Amino acid sequence: MKSDELSVRWKPSEFAETFDVRTYSVQYRAYGEETYSEHTQTATTKTKDYYYRIKSLEPETIYMIRVGAVNPYGPNFNEETGHETEPAPKPFFTIHTFAWWIIFLAVLGVLLILGILIGIIIHRLKKAQERREQREARFQTLPSQNEAQKIPLRRIHFLLAVYHAENVKALTCSFTNTAYKPGEMNWKEFPYANIKLLDELGSGASS
């Protein structure tokens, strides 16, 4: 049975040929109504089982059905019986189901966004780990490179001295003679212009 259909099955009588049964009549009506709807089906000697599907019925409705054998003298119906159609199927999309679909899609969207964010974070962490490992690998190879390109210590000191001299400006130095004690000796100052070095070392020339 369906919400708008009912099926009817019957077997012919043993005396169908004797009583010259020519057709079968299926009559049905909704419970409470007086008028029958009718379907006629031809009787044959070869058919052992008859079948008819009543269509275009109302859901959740009781229908009274009877089947009768018809010969030249008229029909002979059995006692009618009541049969109820099934409820109509609920529509797939209702207000209730639509609300649940909206909630489901919203949750699915949030989970999708969280999955994307987690994937981005994991990707960045992996990249940072790879860069850190690459730096550590380069640092481990630095000693062998320095040994292959070793600079003499004097050269390094010279470069440092030159760098210091070029980059330090207005450098002033003061020296203190800790052995000098004022009062022990009287020093006289004389002009710097009166000091003259020998023209040549070992030449015996005097100023």
Side-chain angles (χ1 to χ4, degrees), residues 115-164:
I116 293 173
L117 292 177
I118 293 174
I120 292 173
I121 293 173
I122 294 175
H123 177 72
R124 290 185 175 180
L125 290 176
K126 288 184 178 180
K127 287 295 184 181
Q129 180 66 23
E130 290 176 359
R131 288 194 295 268
R132 184 162 52 250
E133 292 177 355
Q134 290 176 359
R135 286 197 300 269
E136 292 177 355
R138 286 199 299 269
F139 290 154
Q140 291 177 358
T141 58
L142 283 177
S144 59
Q145 294 178 359
N146 290 337
E147 290 178 1
Q149 301 176 356
K150 187 178 293 183
I151 302 175
L153 185 60
R154 293 181 181 178
R155 179 64 175 170
I156 295 175
H157 287 174
F158 174 75
L159 293 175
L160 291 175
V162 171
Y163 174 80
H164 182 75

Side-chain angles (χ1 to χ4, degrees), residues 41-115:
Q41 194 165 340
T42 303
T44 61
T45 57
K46 296 181 180 180
T47 304
K48 301 300 181 181
D49 190 9
Y50 291 90
Y51 170 82
Y52 176 66
R53 179 178 293 178
I54 306 173
K55 300 181 179 180
S56 302
L57 304 178
E58 294 295 329
E60 294 184 278
T61 304
I62 297 176
Y63 286 89
M64 306 304 293
I65 303 173
R66 65 182 183 178
V67 179
V70 182
N71 62 8
Y73 299 97
N76 181 21
F77 289 95
N78 65 348
E79 184 178 357
E80 64 179 2
T81 56
H83 303 274
E84 185 177 4
T85 54
E86 295 183 354
K90 294 181 179 180
F92 183 74
F93 282 103
T94 61
I95 296 176
H96 184 70
T97 56
F98 182 74
W100 278 109
W101 272 106
I102 293 296
I103 295 173
F104 172 75
L105 293 176
V107 173
L108 184 63
V110 172
L111 293 177
L112 181 62
I113 293 174
L114 289 177

Side-chain angles (χ1 to χ4, degrees), residues 15-24 43 68-76:
F15 307 99
E17 293 184 14
T18 303
F19 291 102
D20 193 18
V21 176
R22 298 180 180 182
T23 60
Y24 290 97
V70 182
N71 62 8
Y73 299 97
N76 181 21

Side-chain angles (χ1 to χ4, degrees), residues 24-36:
Y24 290 97
S25 176
V26 178
Q27 295 182 349
Y28 56 93
R29 62 183 176 87
Y31 182 79
E33 295 182 358
E34 298 295 333
T35 305
Y36 282 95

